[in-house]
Amino acid sequence: MSADGSWEFTIDSPIGKQSLWVDMKAEEGKLVGTCRANGQVIDPDIIDGKIDGDLLSFKVKSHKPVPLKMTLTLTRNGDSMTGKAKPGMFGTFPVTGKRV
């Protein structure tokens, strides 16, 4: 089973749980896709997507409430993922994800 498909991620941040929805697929050895988030203005395309087996990473560019690039580093296990999010200089926060 691949990581291709629609995913819902929850980032456990100091300001509460933040949701991120990503439609992704592996394409020519890279991870490509689009994303959206509640209450935030973000670029729809994921940036610098990488995939190596069950290890994935990509960046999301946010404009509001704070302009920054957030890097997500994840490990897939079937229809779930766990990992971390690093939003700019604001530390690292746990992430969980499920296929939707």
Side-chain angles (χ1 to χ4, degrees), residues 17-36:
K17 295 189 183 295
Q18 306 295 311
S19 295
L20 179 70
W21 292 269
V22 180
D23 294 317
M24 65 175 74
K25 66 179 177 177
E27 190 173 273
E28 298 179 11
K30 295 180 181 179
L31 188 67
V32 297
T34 58
C35 56
R36 63 190 186 285

Side-chain angles (χ1 to χ4, degrees), residues 84-98:
K84 61 184 179 179
K86 177 145 181 41
M89 61 182 183
F90 295 108
T92 302
F93 310 115
V95 178
T96 56
K98 62 182 179 182

